[in-house]
Amino acid sequence: MTVNLEVAEGVGTLRLDRPPMNALDVATQDRLKELAEEATRREDVRAVVIYGGEKVFAAGADIKEMQAMDHTAMVLRARALQDAFTAVASIPKPVVAAVTGYALGGGCELALCADYRIAGENAKLGQPEILLGLIPGAGGTQRLPRLIGPSKAKDLIFTGRMVKADEALALGLVDRVVPAGEVYEQAHAWAARLAQGPALALRAAKEAVDAGLETDIDTGLTVERNWFAGLFATEDRERGMRSFVEEGPGKAKFL
């Protein structure tokens, strides 16, 4: 399989496995969607790591496959392409991208679907589609400007240039840069910590933030208010507040 889901201690790792560069062909896109939906459903998956291996995250789409497509073929395929990435972005659990080596084109767009991005010092990210006479088609024109701002996103999209890990960190494209050999370990630790947390509250936090970014402040506050009040009906809220009162802050166990 070109993508696998490995689950241990509440953390599901979506592992790309299409050597040598993890090119995201149609089969890989469809498999990614299938496993993202599985990670969403599974109660034993409480947080997710997206990982391409020690050498490369994903170097983009399969250009040879795309070259063979005409306009009609891509009209029929483009929605499925976006749906695969949206399935990852819609996982209602904390998601971290562990980025090593190249994360270009669709690879960069896949990293954008995560809530948090940890990059190795050897990482190189970018949206080089313009160099093919195209634009990003898996969410890059939408998620990238929401993350780093429109002018910085336009620079990357218009020029197609790659940025190294240090510049990606300065741009806000990644959140942490670590030695290449520590990327997966640190990403897994981030996910494992959150896997021990209150699942419904984490889901509420993610959905409130994401929904709020897509609307006006008053509607966003309504979303927040509804989630906030709704959590008062959960066992995790009872456990968390009881622990705070009886033991002090930060000691509640939610599993």
Side-chain angles (χ1 to χ4, degrees):
M1 293 292 184
T2 57
V3 188
N4 298 294
L5 176 61
E6 304 159 359
V7 183
E9 300 177 350
V11 177
T13 298
L14 281 171
R15 169 68 186 266
L16 303 174
D17 188 18
R18 189 169 184 250
M21 300 300 287
N22 290 334
L24 300 167
D25 65 348
V26 166
T28 301
Q29 296 163 24
D30 290 345
R31 179 67 174 164
L32 184 64
K33 180 175 186 291
E34 175 188 342
L35 292 181
E37 291 172 346
E38 180 180 336
T40 293
R41 293 192 304 269
R42 286 179 59 165
E43 293 185 4
D44 62 334
V45 176
R46 297 171 64 92
V48 174
V49 178
I50 310 171
Y51 184 50
E54 296 178 355
K55 295 183 179 180
V56 63
F57 185 71
D62 188 321
I63 303 304
K64 290 182 179 179
E65 182 183 66
M66 288 180 62
Q67 185 182 21
M69 294 183 176
D70 60 12
H71 173 257
T72 299
M74 188 49 73
V75 166
L76 296 173
R77 181 63 205 172
R79 182 58 182 265
L81 166 63
Q82 290 186 345
D83 285 350
F85 285 68
T86 297
V88 176
S90 299
I91 295 172
K93 304 164 186 182
V95 178
V96 56
V99 181
T100 57
Y102 291 112
L104 302 175
C108 186
E109 289 169 302
L110 181 57
L112 292 173
C113 293
D115 302 303
Y116 195 76
R117 282 153 289 278
I118 298 176
E121 293 172 340
N122 65 342
K124 294 182 179 180
L125 300 92
Q127 299 289 168
E129 291 88 349
I130 203 75
L131 305 178
L132 300 173
L134 295 171
I135 65 171
T141 66
Q142 302 305 305
R143 294 190 178 98
L144 186 59
R146 283 169 168 79
L147 182 66
I148 68 172
S151 61
K152 293 175 183 177
K154 286 175 182 176
D155 172 53
L156 295 184
I157 293 169
F158 290 178
T159 65
R161 69 186 183 91
M162 291 186 295
V163 296
K164 295 181 180 179
D166 56 349
E167 185 178 359
L169 181 64
L171 288 170
L173 180 51
V174 301
D175 301 291
R176 194 190 309 171
V177 175
V178 303
E182 298 179 14
V183 172
Y184 180 74
E185 177 185 355
Q186 293 208 29
H188 192 278
W190 184 92
R193 177 189 175 197
L194 294 175
Q196 301 295 314
L200 287 175
L202 286 165
R203 175 175 184 153
K206 179 168 180 171
E207 293 195 9
V209 170
D210 289 350
L213 288 171
E214 303 303 320
T215 189
D216 60 274
I217 184 77
D218 289 337
T219 303
L221 287 169
T222 298
V223 172
E224 178 186 88
R225 183 170 65 249
N226 289 339
W227 269 115
F228 176 71
L231 289 169
F232 275 74
T234 67
E235 182 180 338
D236 281 345
R237 192 278 307 183
E238 294 178 8
R239 182 181 292 114
M241 288 192 166
R242 183 172 60 249
S243 174
F244 181 94
V245 171
E246 296 176 358
E247 304 171 291
K251 297 181 180 179
K253 298 186 184 302
F254 295 100
L255 292 178

